[in-house]
Amino acid sequence: MSIDFRNIIKPYPSPIITGRGIDLDFPMLAGCLALLGLGLVMITSASSEVAAVQSGNTLYMMIRHLVYLIIGLGTCIVTMMIPIATWQRLGWLMLIGAFGLLIMVILPGIGREVNGSMRWIGFGAFNVQPSEIAKVFVVIYLAGYLVRRQKEVRESWMGFFKPFIVLLPMAGLLLMEPDFGATVVMMAAAAAMLFLGGVGLFRFSLMVVLAVAAVTILVQAQPYRMARLITFTDPWSDQFGSGYQLTQALIAFGRGEWLGVGLGNSVQKQFYLPEAHTDFVFSVLAEELGVVGSLCTVALFVFVCVRGMYIGLWAERAKQYFAAYVAYGLSFLWIGQFLINIGVNVGLLPTKGLTLPFLSYGGSSLVICCACLGLLLRIEWESRTHLGSEEMEFSESDFAEEPTHGR
């Protein structure tokens, strides 16, 4: 008896394993790759002075970022090869894993404290930020819940409140780190998913009112949050104290003018602007590339986020509701981080430590963004080809001809 090992090792169909070659949503891929490339360039520029002092090598941060980028692209490829149905089945396990990671990070001896916050788990020279993973796992779990309990969510108060039995404890763990920005982004994405899942306008409005009240209480509960809120309205009143970061960021925007001072010529990155390669990389970008470069970057972000929403819409039209809710949730995570980070950089929001997706230095954020890209590309492929369901049998003939893209 002979065994055909080709059938054993044959990979599951995916956007990168088809009879006609690579079959991806190239506009979405191109937009994200453009942001990743721009991010690598800006990290190289913004971190050069800090890297030279800390390690003696001006390219130290760039090399680390490049390693993270390679890992992220590898993660993106692996994610594209996993059927969306698999993510749906593993939703509960991911939720448990998210809680486990968030509990571990606040335990002494496991979590690493940086700038007064316990947000990282150290693995040698690398740090993992559990909040980045938890946000995505929450989106996947909530998408599954909206599919399983669709009628209950739309028609009853209990179906509306049940998700908060999970979301509120997770928000509490995030606030214990503390990570106020991640909490706001996660809860906002969850609220948007519930609204798109069919929650009535009255219940949604009540949720918004309660959320605003909760944010107000949380801001007043911690003196440093209240100080940030007061300072951002007039940072120049304490420009060498609590308003220092924002005033330096605004100086960077002012120096950039229309066309910028030129790539690599930023003055603010030379120890004037703290966290120039992480939370405030957009300020350095504005200084070096000017208003034109900043608006082009914003346009790229808008395109990627809107494309992600359209991927969700296409999945919903294909009656793949779990995939649609995941796409909506991931897009809202990007939109939330983008709006908060840009708002902080230009002085429209209080200073908050939240990375800019695809651009900021940070391994966890970059890898998770790439994983989210892989999920969105997989969702788009499954909704377009209708071949993503595990209940369907596949053969080579399924991939013999190019389907009409129509997008």
Side-chain angles (χ1 to χ4, degrees):
M1 182 178 67
S2 61
I3 300 176
D4 190 352
F5 287 97
R6 290 176 299 176
N7 292 329
I8 296 176
I9 64 175
K10 185 178 179 179
Y12 195 91
S14 75
I16 55 176
I17 302 176
T18 68
R20 57 182 172 271
I22 298 176
D23 183 21
L24 296 172
D25 179 12
F26 283 103
M28 182 67 166
L29 180 63
C32 291
L33 288 179
L35 286 173
L36 289 170
L38 179 62
L40 180 62
V41 171
M42 293 313 306
I43 293 302
T44 304
S45 174
S47 66
S48 59
E49 302 296 331
V50 175
V53 171
Q54 292 183 353
S55 67
N57 180 4
T58 57
L59 299 180
Y60 176 75
M61 298 291 188
M62 183 274 284
I63 294 171
R64 285 179 63 91
H65 189 78
L66 185 59
V67 171
Y68 290 133
L69 180 57
I70 293 171
I71 295 172
L73 293 176
T75 305
C76 177
I77 293 172
V78 171
T79 306
M80 278 191 285
M81 298 176 69
I82 301 174
I84 297 301
T86 302
W87 296 102
Q88 186 172 4
R89 287 199 310 271
L90 297 177
W92 269 103
L93 290 176
M94 291 180 181
L95 184 67
I96 294 171
F99 271 109
L101 288 171
L102 292 179
I103 291 172
M104 287 175 60
V105 77
I106 60 177
L107 295 178
I110 298 179
R112 281 187 177 179
E113 183 175 347
V114 180
N115 295 331
S117 299
M118 296 279 286
R119 300 180 185 176
W120 294 267
I121 297 176
F123 294 94
F126 298 94
N127 292 328
V128 174
Q129 192 169 357
S131 61
E132 296 289 340
I133 302 172
K135 287 184 293 188
V136 176
F137 284 3
V138 164
V139 165
I140 293 172
Y141 161 76
L142 189 55
Y145 174 82
L146 290 173
V147 171
R148 292 191 306 270
R149 306 287 184 177
Q150 188 175 61
K151 184 177 180 181
E152 189 178 355
V153 168
R154 293 180 176 182
E155 298 178 0
S156 72
W157 283 93
M158 186 56 66
F160 169 68
F161 281 119
K162 278 182 179 178
F164 292 96
I165 298 175
V166 171
L167 292 172
L168 291 179
M170 187 163 290
L173 289 172
L174 287 171
L175 290 172
M176 289 176 68
E177 296 182 7
D179 196 342
F180 187 66
T183 307
V184 171
V185 169
M186 183 190 74
M187 296 301 286
M193 290 176 68
L194 286 169
F195 181 73
L196 293 175
V199 170
L201 185 60
F202 174 74
R203 280 174 286 167
F204 182 76
S205 301
L206 177 62
M207 177 174 57
V208 171
V209 171
L210 292 175
V212 171
V215 169
T216 303
I217 293 171
L218 288 172
V219 168
Q220 294 178 344
Q222 293 291 337
Y224 78 92
R225 292 188 189 131
M226 197 65 189
R228 286 180 176 180
L229 182 63
I230 295 172
T231 301
F232 106 95
T233 59
D234 184 16
W236 302 102
S237 63
D238 190 14
Q239 61 177 309
F240 297 110
S242 57
Y244 181 76
Q245 274 187 309
L246 181 52
T247 55
Q248 296 304 314
L250 294 176
I251 291 171
F253 276 92
R255 293 193 74 253
E257 298 183 349
W258 285 102
L259 298 177
V261 297
L263 191 62
N265 293 328
S266 168
V267 172
Q268 294 304 103
K269 70 181 181 182
Q270 299 178 12
F271 304 102
Y272 291 102
L273 179 61
E275 311 296 338
H277 59 295
T278 55
D279 301 341
F280 285 88
V281 67
F282 190 75
S283 296
V284 177
L285 183 149
E287 184 182 2
E288 296 188 349
L289 303 183
V291 172
V292 174
S294 300
L295 291 179
C296 288
T297 304
V298 170
L300 265 178
F301 271 112
V302 171
F303 171 77
V304 166
C305 293
V306 171
R307 189 76 179 181
M309 296 294 291
Y310 267 104
I311 288 174
L313 179 61
W314 295 329
E316 192 170 358
R317 288 176 178 173
K319 300 188 184 304
Q320 298 176 1
Y321 297 110
F322 171 78
Y325 292 135
V326 170
Y328 291 142
L330 296 180
S331 300
F332 279 118
L333 287 180
W334 286 353
I335 292 169
Q337 286 194 225
F338 163 69
L339 290 177
I340 292 176
N341 185 278
I342 299 295
V344 167
N345 274 256
V346 300
L348 292 177
L349 293 173
T351 303
K352 192 75 225 96
L354 206 62
T355 57
L356 187 60
F358 296 106
L359 257 72
S360 292
Y361 176 84
S364 297
S365 175
L366 188 64
V367 172
I368 292 300
C369 282
C370 291
C372 292
L373 170 62
L375 267 171
L376 289 170
L377 291 174
R378 176 82 196 193
I379 290 169
E380 189 277 336
W381 178 78
E382 289 194 7
S383 66
R384 174 162 47 86
T385 61
H386 300 280
L387 297 173
S389 174
E390 284 198 328
E391 284 75 21
M392 298 185 67
E393 295 292 334
F394 295 92
S395 64
E396 289 298 326
S397 61
D398 292 323
F399 305 96
E401 297 180 2
E402 183 75 28
T404 301
H405 199 292
R407 295 179 183 170

